[in-house]
Amino acid sequence: MSLSVVVSGVLTGHASADPAPQAANDGSHIDHVVPIDARHSTVYVYSAAMNRVIAMRVMHAADTSAPQPTLYLLNGAEDGIADNGVETSWETKTDVDAFLSDQNVNVVTILDGRYTYYTDWAADDPRLGRNRWTTFLTQELPPLLDAQLNASGRNAIAGVSMSAGAALSLAEDAPGLYSSVGSFSGCAETSTDPGRRYAQAVVLSGGGNPWNMWGVDGSPGWVENDPSTPANLEKLRGVNLYITAGDAGDAAAGRTNAAGGMLESVVSTCTHELQTRTEQLGIPATYSYTPGGQHAWPYWQDALHEAWPSFDKSLRG
C-alpha cells in the first residue's frame, strides 16, 4: 500500500482430475477450477450476492486422507490481481506456500476485493462495483469450499493492512466461523479518527466513493461496521486473536522504505488503542509489536510465522 493511501484435480490432490462443482441454494457455486500443480489451483467462485465470479488461490492440505481445516488469507488494498493482470498476494510476496507445505491445512487466498474493505457496501460503486464481501466470505464461500475440499469446517482468517480490520469484522459478523483471527498492520477503528480517515483514503485511492461503502460520513453504518467498538469486540470473545504492528525505531536494513514506516506509525497508534479496548473488556488477545517494523510484506510474513502455532492449535479443536 502506498503512502498516498493513508494520506488521502488440485483440490483432491491430483492435478489431472477435479471434483464435481459444488453449488449452494442461493445460486452461488464453484464456476471452474484451473489446476496449477498437484496441490495448487486457481478456483473461481460465482457469488450470487455480487453477481460475479471471484478468483482465489487454493493450496490443499498435505494429508487429504481426512478432512482438514482451512486458513483464509486476505490481501491489502492494492494487492490481488491488478487491471494489468499482475498478481501481488501472499503467494507472490511471502513464503506462505513453503511455510505451510507440510501442514494439514487448506490455504485459500482471495485474489479479488481491492479497495473494498471486504465488507458489504451500502450501495453499488461506479468504479468498484457491487461489493457484498461479508456475505460472500461468511455465507456463500465457506460451505462451497468445505464440500469441494472435503474440509473439516474449522477455519482461521488473517488479513494485512486494509484487510487486517476486515478479518476482525468478518469473525464478528459470523460467530463461530473462524477459530483464529490474524490482524497484521491494520487500523481497526473505522468510525473515529485516524482510522475513519484512513479507511476513506483507501477507498478513494482505488477510485471508489467511500460514502457508497457504509453511507455518508457519520452514518450509523460507520459505527456498526467498526470492529473496535465494545459491542463488536464482545463477539470476538473466545476467538484466538493475534494482532501485530510495527513500533518506532530503526527498521531492519533493506527490508522496507520510508513510506512503509510512516504508514506503520499510524497503524501502531490504532493497534495500541485496540489493545487498550480489549484489555478493558477482558477479551484475551496476543499483541506483538516489532521495533522498527514497517508496513511491508516481510513483516506480515513474520507475523504469520509467529501466529501459526496458536492458529494450528485452535484449528484442531
Side-chain angles (χ1 to χ4, degrees):
M1 184 181 295
S2 66
L3 178 58
S4 62
V5 169
V6 75
V7 173
S8 8
V10 172
L11 300 182
T12 58
H14 302 282
S16 60
D18 295 323
Q22 302 295 324
N25 292 333
D26 62 11
S28 299
H29 60 271
I30 293 179
D31 187 79
H32 65 287
V33 178
V34 178
I36 298 173
D37 57 34
R39 290 187 58 192
H40 299 82
S41 64
T42 304
V43 179
Y44 296 85
V45 178
Y46 173 76
S47 165
M50 290 188 275
N51 192 29
R52 62 188 179 93
V53 173
I54 309 300
M56 60 203 70
R57 189 86 68 241
V58 173
M59 180 175 75
H60 204 287
D63 179 7
T64 61
S65 64
Q68 304 293 355
T70 302
L71 169 64
Y72 289 89
L73 296 176
L74 305 177
N75 295 307
E78 296 177 347
D79 304 325
I81 299 177
D83 292 340
N84 62 4
V86 174
E87 178 183 332
T88 304
S89 69
W90 281 92
E91 275 70 26
T92 66
K93 303 299 289 187
T94 77
D95 68 350
V96 63
D97 278 7
F99 177 61
L100 296 177
S101 64
D102 62 346
Q103 300 296 304
N104 289 321
V105 63
N106 304 299
V107 182
V108 178
T109 304
I110 306 300
L111 298 178
D112 202 338
R114 303 175 83 210
Y115 308 106
T116 67
Y117 270 82
Y118 292 106
T119 187
D120 281 2
W121 283 42
D124 293 353
D125 188 81
R127 176 68 178 88
L128 300 177
R130 176 168 297 171
N131 294 292
R132 301 288 187 273
W133 289 98
T134 301
T135 299
F136 180 67
L137 291 168
T138 64
Q139 299 176 35
E140 295 179 332
L141 182 62
L144 290 173
L145 286 185
D146 283 352
Q148 188 84 355
L149 296 168
N150 186 32
S152 68
R154 294 190 66 84
N155 308 293
I157 190 168
V160 301
S161 190
M162 175 196 76
S163 65
L168 294 169
S169 287
L170 289 163
E172 292 169 349
D173 288 327
L177 181 60
Y178 305 107
S179 63
S180 283
V181 176
S183 181
F184 308 148
S185 291
C187 198
E189 53 183 279
T190 55
S191 61
T192 56
D193 294 340
R196 176 180 56 155
R197 300 308 180 195
Y198 182 99
Q200 293 166 0
V202 166
V203 175
L204 284 168
S205 71
N209 183 342
W211 306 158
N212 287 330
M213 186 162 68
W214 297 320
V216 299
D217 201 11
S219 295
W222 287 83
V223 174
E224 292 167 1
N225 289 282
D226 184 338
S228 70
T229 65
N232 283 332
L233 286 174
E234 280 293 341
K235 301 172 187 176
L236 295 176
R237 194 176 295 276
V239 176
N240 174 54
L241 303 174
Y242 203 96
I243 301 168
T244 70
D247 258 348
D250 294 328
R255 297 191 75 188
T256 188
N257 53 45
M262 294 179 69
L263 276 166
E264 202 66 4
S265 67
V266 176
V267 165
S268 180
T269 299
C270 294
T271 304
H272 280 288
E273 174 61 25
L274 181 64
Q275 181 173 5
T276 297
R277 296 183 186 187
T278 54
E279 289 176 348
Q280 288 175 341
L281 292 169
I283 296 173
T286 299
Y287 288 86
S288 177
Y289 298 95
T290 302
Q294 306 290 291
H295 208 76
W297 281 104
Y299 297 91
W300 303 333
Q301 173 179 289
D302 292 348
L304 182 62
H305 284 219
E306 295 170 8
W308 177 247
S310 67
F311 273 40
D312 188 43
K313 182 178 179 180
S314 76
L315 287 168
R316 305 303 160 185

